[in-house]
């Protein structure tokens, strides 16, 4: 699993994730997710377009990040979610807490960069 961070306009941070968000993949990115909670951008956007599979470990990592940011009065959104990850996140109603933008993602990204 890979993670890439890009500082964007208006105090936002884009996080590009790729690979499989399973227990093994999440253990590799956990330190980076911890570091994100110590940064100062007001809004975090996770781009999951490169994620081909997600399980409970991946959902847990996303919820962990969301809760930590919320405690700090920061916000988070998710773009690019598709396929199996989208199905699982919808089934678990993740979209009721964290905004999912699976359509028009390129427009969202171009406005942020």
């Amino acid at each position: 699993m890979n993670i890439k961070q890009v500082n964007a306009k208006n105090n936002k941070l884009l996080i590009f994730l790729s690979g499989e968000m399973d227990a093994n993949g999440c253990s590799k990115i956990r330190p980076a997710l911890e570091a994100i909670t110590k940064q100062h951008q007001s809004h975090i956007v996770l781009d999951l377009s490169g994620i081909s599979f997600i399980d409970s470990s991946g959902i847990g990592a996303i919820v962990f990040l969301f809760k930590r940011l919320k405690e700090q009065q920061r916000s988070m959104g998710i773009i690019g979610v598709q396929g199996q990850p989208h199905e699982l996140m919808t089934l678990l109603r993740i979209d009721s807490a964290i905004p999912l933008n699976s359509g028009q993602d390129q427009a969202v990204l171009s406005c942020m960069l």
Side-chain angles (χ1 to χ4, degrees), residues 20-111:
E20 294 188 351
M21 285 190 83
D22 55 11
N24 185 39
C26 289
S27 67
K28 293 177 182 176
I29 65 164
R30 180 143 320 257
L33 295 179
E34 283 279 347
I36 290 166
T37 66
K38 294 178 173 89
Q39 294 180 20
H40 300 290
Q41 290 88 349
S42 61
H43 185 70
I44 308 298
V45 176
L46 294 180
D47 183 335
L48 301 184
S49 60
I51 298 297
S52 57
F53 174 79
I54 192 168
D55 66 8
S56 60
S57 298
I59 296 295
I62 291 169
V63 171
F64 160 81
L65 181 60
F66 174 74
K67 285 184 173 183
R68 293 285 298 271
L69 294 171
K70 190 172 180 176
E71 288 172 0
Q72 300 169 3
Q73 281 112 24
R74 296 163 66 194
S75 59
M76 184 176 100
I78 299 172
I79 63 172
V81 64
Q82 55 195 352
Q84 184 270 342
H86 186 266
E87 290 173 16
L88 183 58
M89 294 178 96
T90 302
L91 178 68
L92 296 174
R93 299 183 45 103
I94 298 297
D95 57 338
S96 66
I98 306 170
L100 294 181
N101 185 355
S102 55
Q104 302 173 332
D105 292 331
Q106 288 303 323
V108 171
L109 278 177
S110 64
C111 290

